[in-house]
Amino acid sequence: MTDNNHDIEQPGERVPKRVIGTPSHAATGTPLLGAEERTGPAELPGVDLQDEATAKKGERIAAFCFLLTFLAGIAFIVSYVAFQVGDLDSAATSNLALGSSLTVALLALASGIVVWVRMVMPKYKLVQERHEMASDGETRAYVGETFLQGAAESGITKRPLLRRTLLAAAAPLGLAPLVLLKDLGPHEYADFPKKLRHTVWGEKTKEGKQRRLVVEGTGAPIRAADFNSPGGILSVVPEGYEHDLNELAKSTLILIKFRPEELKSGTNRNWAPDGIVAYSKICTHVGCPAALYEQTTHHILCPCHQSTFDAADGAKVVFGPAARPLPQLPIAVDGEGYLVATGDFPVPPGPSFWERGDAEAEAREKGGQS
């Protein structure tokens, strides 16, 4: 509801016409309000023009923000190239560098634009008048004049420092997606997935001996004769890698003692000396530690998503979202009576996509050899 009755337009005259020969609103610098009666100073709405000192201060602050955006954008690209991903530590460093630089770039760009609008451009109090949706040629011309006036008032033509620093700030951010496209094709890390498909269980020690199984936490080697209680379970890691988190993330085992008659056809008995079976502790769903064991049912439970595996039957999946069994590690007893690994897992441990990647890689290798 408004009491400006003199602003009501007459039928058939939606857009006020400018008298021929008079200068346009854009040329005179008078704010465009859309009503011929409002061209007089007494009818102007509230306009708060920024003083030049405030505008200059805002210009310097916004320019500083745009320069900071430019530097942060360059830092993002440099971080992507400099901090390579090869292990958990390097991945953490890369994520920190990329996330920090991109955060600073976007925050500084947004801050510069806000300062530009609030400290450089004038402020208006306008009342929006509602008209029919259709626009004729004169209205479109009027909108064009308004746009040109707005561009002039923004200072983008008058203040080259703002314009140039804004363009410089946007340039690295525009190049960043092109740099990231590099990951879509082959690169120097194409062999990195091979590290996920193999573990140190298939390697021998420096002395040329087969790698022993040691208790997680204590590092004590395990004698088969000492692990003789059916239903017993141990968390086991490879000897020499007790504190290597990268290797433990794919090599940790659970060791379970069975009576010979309890083992089913799914379990490889040749890899179960004295009824001792070693399974990967890494769930084949999303890699959580599957370490809960129910002795009466011989079920291994992953606490994350309740995937359940039958330890007596080759750790086959009996419930839950896991797509394949826990890989069984081939083990034996060495000459001193200790449990040792006789080879690596027959399939990659961990989430199923690693196994699929391994199969695809082997197919490509075979195709290349042929």
Side-chain angles (χ1 to χ4, degrees):
M1 181 67 68
T2 177
D3 58 356
N4 295 334
N5 295 328
H6 58 278
D7 290 339
I8 300 176
E9 299 173 359
Q10 299 301 323
E13 189 177 4
R14 300 190 352 266
V15 180
K17 296 181 174 58
R18 178 166 57 88
V19 178
I20 298 177
T22 60
S24 66
H25 296 287
T28 60
T30 304
L32 296 173
L33 305 175
E36 188 175 14
E37 293 83 356
R38 294 192 177 186
T39 57
E43 299 297 333
L44 284 174
V47 179
D48 183 12
L49 297 176
Q50 303 287 9
D51 62 273
E52 187 61 21
T54 301
K56 279 290 185 183
K57 181 180 179 181
E59 180 182 10
R60 289 191 294 269
I61 296 175
F64 171 77
C65 292
F66 294 152
L67 288 175
L68 183 60
T69 301
F70 171 77
L71 296 176
I74 295 296
F76 177 87
I77 296 176
V78 172
S79 299
Y80 181 82
V81 176
F83 298 105
Q84 309 297 352
V85 178
D87 52 40
L88 294 179
D89 293 334
S90 61
T93 302
S94 175
N95 291 340
L96 179 62
L98 292 175
S100 300
S101 57
L102 187 59
T103 299
V104 172
L106 297 178
L107 182 61
L109 180 61
S111 300
I113 293 176
V114 170
V115 170
W116 185 345
V117 172
R118 295 183 65 86
M119 299 184 67
V120 178
M121 299 178 63
K123 299 179 177 63
Y124 293 91
K125 294 180 181 178
L126 298 178
V127 178
Q128 182 181 8
E129 298 181 358
R130 298 184 179 275
H131 305 288
E132 296 181 7
M133 297 298 294
S135 299
D136 55 21
E138 186 174 359
T139 302
R140 290 194 292 270
Y142 173 77
V143 172
E145 291 181 4
T146 306
F147 176 80
L148 294 177
Q149 180 180 340
E153 291 176 349
S154 71
I156 195 168
T157 56
K158 179 182 177 181
R159 304 180 186 277
L161 179 61
L162 281 176
R163 182 176 67 254
R164 293 167 184 170
T165 52
L166 175 61
L167 293 175
L173 296 178
L175 292 175
L178 299 179
V179 177
L180 298 178
L181 289 175
K182 176 175 175 289
D183 274 349
L184 297 180
H187 48 73
E188 60 269 26
Y189 304 109
D191 62 341
F192 177 67
K194 294 182 180 179
K195 297 181 180 180
L196 304 178
R197 298 195 289 266
H198 303 285
T199 70
V200 296
W201 288 119
E203 304 173 1
K204 293 186 177 181
T205 63
K206 295 180 180 179
E207 295 77 19
K209 297 180 180 180
Q210 293 172 323
R211 198 165 299 278
R212 287 179 176 177
L213 284 63
V214 298
V215 178
E216 184 179 18
T218 65
I222 307 166
R223 290 182 182 272
D226 296 334
F227 191 57
N228 55 10
S229 298
I233 181 172
L234 285 176
S235 185
V236 178
V237 296
E239 183 183 23
Y241 292 87
E242 295 89 339
H243 305 290
D244 188 337
L245 297 181
N246 290 330
E247 190 57 45
L248 295 182
K250 57 182 179 178
S251 300
T252 306
L253 304 173
I254 49 175
L255 208 63
I256 304 175
K257 171 70 175 181
F258 287 97
R259 297 183 179 88
E261 64 274 11
E262 292 176 329
L263 294 177
K264 301 178 183 179
S265 59
T267 304
N268 191 327
R269 295 175 180 268
N270 295 328
W271 296 351
D274 298 331
I276 301 173
V277 182
Y279 293 117
S280 170
K281 190 178 180 179
I282 313 304
C283 181
T284 54
H285 178 217
V286 290
C288 295
L292 301 179
Y293 180 64
E294 210 287 312
Q295 183 176 351
T296 57
T297 61
H298 308 303
H299 285 174
I300 302 170
L301 175 67
C302 176
C304 291
H305 304 98
Q306 287 70 55
S307 292
T308 307
F309 308 88
D310 187 352
D313 195 15
K316 293 181 179 179
V317 181
V318 295
F319 180 79
R324 62 189 180 95
L326 298 173
Q328 182 182 354
L329 184 74
I331 61 175
V333 180
D334 65 5
E336 300 178 43
Y338 291 104
L339 293 174
V340 296
T342 60
D344 203 353
F345 292 105
V347 294
S352 298
F353 62 84
W354 289 356
E355 184 183 27
R356 291 198 293 270
D358 181 73
E360 292 172 0
E362 290 179 353
R364 287 195 299 269
E365 292 175 1
K366 292 179 180 178
Q369 293 173 357
S370 61

